C-alpha cells in the first residue's frame, strides 16, 4: 500500500524531482512509515524532532498491532488530524503540514507544524500614526489571525478557513464575531468564495475582491483594505467581516461605504475634539482633490461667475497653452512623479522630488508651458489626494477629476453641472455587499451621520452601525 502512495506522490507532487518536497521512510515496530513534507514551509528542527521521537519508539514499544495508536500518542504537537483520501493528503502537505503514512492503514496523519517564511510584523507605511501600535499584518495568514485574536480575546470570534484556486490552493480566512456579524453576509461571502473557479489567485486580496464584488468598470473601491490589526479588530467589533488572504498583508473589510474610506486610525488616537478636527480637514482635502481643478477652470473660462470679492482668482499670465490643457498636463505630470516615486529606490526618491519640484516646475513656468496658478491649484489637489486615507479612493477621485476637467473644458458651465450631478447620482447608486455606498448620507441617517463627521468619545459610542445589520446593536452593556 505504501508503494502505491509513493508512486502516486511521485507522479502528482514530484517527490524525488522537486528538491523542496521532502520524503523520509523509516521502520517502526517492524512497520514501514513514510513522511512527506515541503521543506520551505516547515522548520527543519521540528522534522528532526518528530523523526527522532518516532525512531526511539523501537526501543520502548513492541505491540505491532497498535502502531497507529502509538504513533498518534507520540506526536507531541498541538494539531494532529487524519485524512482518508490522497487529495486531502496532498492539499495538506502543500499547505505546510507533515503527512505520515503507516503501512496497512487506510488513513494518514497530518501534523500542523507549518512555519511560513516572511517578515516580522511592523507598522504599515500607508497607515502610520503618531501614537499607537507599531505592528501590522504580514504575508503570513497564521500570524494575521493571531494579531486580531490578541486584540479580541472573545470565545465567539470565528476564523473559518477556505481554499481558492485549483493550482494555487490559496488559504482564505473568513473572520467574524459570531453573535455580532450578520449571518446573511457571512453566508453570501462563503457562497461567492465557493463559486470561484480559477487556477490561482496569485494577486491575493485584489483578485479575491474582483470575485466577491460586482464592480465591473467602477473605479471606486467597494471594500476597504487595511494592514493595521487595531483597525481590523475595531471593524470586527462593529459587525464587519474580515477576509484574510494568505501571502497578503492587506485584509479586506466588508461591507464598507464611501465614508469608511475617509477614516484613519489617527483620529481615534487623539482627543475627540482633535480627532474631529483631523476628520474635517480630511473631508475638506477629499473635496478639494475632486472639485478644485474643474471649478477653477470653470471660473477661468467664465470670470463673470465669480463675485467681486473673488475677482482676483484667475491666471495673471495664461502662457502659450490653453489653461485646460495646462491643467491636464499638470495632473498627468504629478501622476508621473507619483509612479516614479513608487519604482525609485528610497535613497534616490528624495533627490527625485527636489528635482521635480524645483527644476521641472520652475522651468515649466519660465518657458511658458504652465502658469504659476496652474502649478498652485494642481499641487493643492494633489496634496488633497495624498491626505485621503484610502489609496484606492484617492486614485478613483483622481480619475473623476480628469473626467470633470475634460467635460468642463468642452461644455463649460452646463457640462460641469451635468457631470457633477451624474457623479453624485453614480455614487448614490453604488452598493457594497448590498450596502448603500453613501450611507448615512443617502439613505439619510442623522445619528449615524453625526458620528461620521464627529469623533464621538469612546464611552458614548455604545451602539454599532445599523448598516451592517449586527445581531447585537449595543457595544456596551446597558445599565439597568
Amino acid at each position: 500500500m505504501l508503494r502505491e502512495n509513493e508512486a502516486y506522490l511521485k507522479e502528482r507532487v514530484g517527490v524525488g524531482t522537486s528538491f523542496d518536497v521532502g520524503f523520509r521512510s523509516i521502520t517502526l515496530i517492524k512497520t514501514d512509515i513514510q513522511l512527506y513534507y515541503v521543506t520551505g514551509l516547515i522548520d527543519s528542527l521540528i522534522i528532526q524532532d518528530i523523526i527522532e521521537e518516532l525512531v526511539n519508539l523501537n526501543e520502548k514499544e513492541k505491540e505491532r498491532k497498535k502502531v497507529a495508536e502509538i504513533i498518534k500518542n507520540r506526536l507531541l504537537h498541538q494539531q494532529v488530524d487524519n485524512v482518508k483520501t490522497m487529495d486531502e493528503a496532498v492539499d495538506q502537505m502543500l499547505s505546510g503540514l507533515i503527512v505520515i503514512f503507516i503501512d496497512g492503514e487506510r488513513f494518514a496523519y497530518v501534523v500542523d507544524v507549518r512555519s511560513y517564511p516572511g517578515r516580522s510584523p511592523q507598522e504599515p507605511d500607508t497607515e502610520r500614526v503618531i501614537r499607537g501600535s507599531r505592528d501590522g499584518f504580514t504575508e503570513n495568514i497564521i500570524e494575521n489571525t493571531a494579531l486580531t485574536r490578541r486584540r479580541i480575546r472573545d470565545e465567539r470570534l470565528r476564523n473559518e478557513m477556505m481554499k481558492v484556486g485549483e493550482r494555487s490552493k490559496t488559504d482564505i480566512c473568513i473572520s467574524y464575531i459570531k453573535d455580532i456579524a450578520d449571518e446573511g453576509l457571512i453566508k453570501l461571502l462563503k457562497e461567492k468564495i465557493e463559486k470561484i473557479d480559477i487556477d490561482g489567485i496569485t494577486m491575493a486580496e485584489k483578485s479575491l475582491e474582483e470575485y466577491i464584488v460586482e464592480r465591473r468598470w467602477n473605479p471606486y473601491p467597494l471594500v476597504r483594505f487595511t494592514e493595521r490589526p487595531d483597525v481590523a479588530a475595531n471593524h470586527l467589533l462593529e459587525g464587519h467581516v474580515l477576509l484574510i488572504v494568505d501571502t497578503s498583508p492587506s485584509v479586506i473589510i466588508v461591507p464598507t461605504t464611501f465614508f469608511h474610506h475617509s477614516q484613519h486610525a489617527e483620529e481615534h488616537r487623539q482627543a475627540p475634539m482633535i480627532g474631529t478636527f483631523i476628520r474635517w480637514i480630511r473631508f475638506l482635502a477629499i473635496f478639494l482633490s475632486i472639485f478644485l481643478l474643474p471649478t477653477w477652470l470653470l471660473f477661468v473660462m467664465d470670470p463673470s461667475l465669480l463675485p467681486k470679492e473673488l475677482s482676483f482668482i484667475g491666471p495673471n499670465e495664461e502662457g502659450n497653452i490653453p489653461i485646460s490643457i495646462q491643467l491636464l498636463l499638470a495632473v498627468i505630470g504629478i501622476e508621473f512623479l507619483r509612479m516614479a516615486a513608487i519604482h525609485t529606490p528610497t535613497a534616490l526618491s528624495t533627490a527625485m522630488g527636489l528635482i521635480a519640484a524645483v527644476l521641472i516646475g520652475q522651468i515649466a513656468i519660465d518657458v511658458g508651458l504652465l502658469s504659476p496658478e496652474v502649478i498652485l491649484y494642481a499641487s493643492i489637489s494633489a496634496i488633497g489626494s495624498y491626505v485621503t486615507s484610502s489609496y484606492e479612493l484617492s486614485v478613483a477621485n483622481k480619475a473623476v477629476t480628469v473626467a470633470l476637467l475634460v467635460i468642463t473644458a468642452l461644455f463649460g458651465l452646463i457640462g460641469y453641472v451635468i457631470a457633477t450631478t451624474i457623479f453624485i447620482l453614480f455614487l448614490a447608486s453604488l452598493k457594497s455587499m448590498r450596502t448603500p455606498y453613501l450611507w448615512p448620507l443617502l439613505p439619510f441617517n442623522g445619528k449615524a451621520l453625526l458620528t461620521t463627521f464627529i469623533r464621538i468619545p469612546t464611552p458614548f459610542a455604545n451602539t454599532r452601525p445599523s448598516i451592517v445589520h449586527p445581531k447585537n446593536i449595543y457595544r456596551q452593556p446597558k445599565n439597568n
Side-chain angles (χ1 to χ4, degrees), residues 85-99:
T85 66
M86 291 300 294
D87 285 340
E88 290 180 288
V90 170
D91 288 347
Q92 298 284 26
M93 183 184 73
L94 295 178
S95 295
L97 285 72
I98 299 177
V99 180

Side-chain angles (χ1 to χ4, degrees), residues 296-439:
W296 182 70
L297 175 61
L298 180 64
F299 291 152
V300 171
M301 295 173 61
D302 190 357
S304 63
L305 296 173
L306 281 171
K308 293 182 179 180
E309 294 77 8
L310 299 178
S311 59
F312 63 89
I313 293 178
N316 297 322
E317 298 178 3
E318 293 191 8
N320 302 321
I321 300 176
I323 294 297
S324 58
I325 303 299
Q326 290 186 38
L327 286 173
L328 289 175
L329 289 176
V331 171
I332 294 173
I334 291 174
E335 286 301 296
F336 283 167
L337 295 176
R338 181 186 64 82
M339 290 186 285
I342 294 175
H343 304 293
T344 303
T346 304
L348 300 177
S349 60
T350 302
M352 186 200 70
L354 292 174
I355 292 173
V358 178
L359 296 182
I360 299 178
Q362 187 59 47
I363 293 174
I365 295 173
D366 292 340
V367 300
L369 181 64
L370 301 177
S371 65
E373 289 86 352
V374 168
I375 297 291
L376 171 64
Y377 293 118
S379 300
I380 295 175
S381 177
I383 293 173
S385 67
Y386 297 147
V387 173
T388 306
S389 53
S390 169
Y391 173 74
E392 291 78 15
L393 180 63
S394 68
V395 175
N397 289 340
K398 182 71 69 174
V400 170
T401 299
V402 173
L404 290 176
L405 278 174
V406 173
I407 294 173
T408 302
L410 294 176
F411 304 104
L413 177 61
I414 295 177
Y416 176 86
V417 173
I418 294 177
T420 302
T421 303
I422 292 175
F423 167 61
I424 295 174
L425 292 176
F426 169 72
L427 290 181
S429 67
L430 291 179
K431 288 189 176 182
S432 170
M433 305 300 293
R434 304 175 182 174
T435 301
Y437 199 56
L438 287 185
W439 184 89

Side-chain angles (χ1 to χ4, degrees), residues 188 192 195 208-220 222-223 426 429-434:
L188 177 63
K192 287 181 175 289
K195 289 180 181 178
L208 179 64
E209 178 216 358
E210 295 179 4
Y211 273 101
I212 64 175
V213 296
E214 299 176 359
R215 61 184 303 162
R216 296 184 179 90
W217 297 105
N218 164 40
Y220 277 87
L222 298 180
V223 301
F426 169 72
S429 67
L430 291 179
K431 288 189 176 182
S432 170
M433 305 300 293
R434 304 175 182 174

Side-chain angles (χ1 to χ4, degrees), residues 235-308:
H235 280 80
L236 280 175
L237 293 174
E238 288 184 352
H240 296 263
V241 178
L242 305 183
L243 295 176
I244 307 173
V245 185
D246 193 26
T247 73
S248 172
S250 296
V251 168
I252 297 175
I253 303 173
V254 290
T256 56
T257 66
F258 180 90
F259 297 101
H260 279 110
H261 294 280
S262 62
Q263 296 176 0
H264 194 274
E266 181 65 26
E267 300 163 7
H268 298 273
R269 297 289 184 176
Q270 302 293 337
M273 183 173 292
I274 302 301
T276 301
F277 175 73
I278 294 173
R279 188 171 293 183
W280 288 356
I281 294 297
R282 183 170 288 109
F283 281 132
L284 176 61
I286 294 173
F287 179 84
L288 292 177
S289 69
I290 301 174
F291 295 107
L292 176 63
L293 294 184
T295 303
W296 182 70
L297 175 61
L298 180 64
F299 291 152
V300 171
M301 295 173 61
D302 190 357
S304 63
L305 296 173
L306 281 171
K308 293 182 179 180

Side-chain angles (χ1 to χ4, degrees), residues 96-115:
L97 285 72
I98 299 177
V99 180
I100 302 176
F101 293 100
I102 304 172
D103 192 22
E105 299 293 342
R106 293 189 174 275
F107 64 87
Y109 288 126
V110 289
V111 187
D112 191 351
V113 292
R114 63 186 117 189
S115 177

Side-chain angles (χ1 to χ4, degrees), residues 27 33 54 69 75 90 101 122 204 237 254 402 420 467 478:
T27 301
I33 309 295
L54 294 178
E69 182 179 345
L75 293 174
V90 170
F101 293 100
Q122 53 187 312
L237 293 174
V254 290
V402 173
T420 302
I467 198 64
K478 296 182 68 178

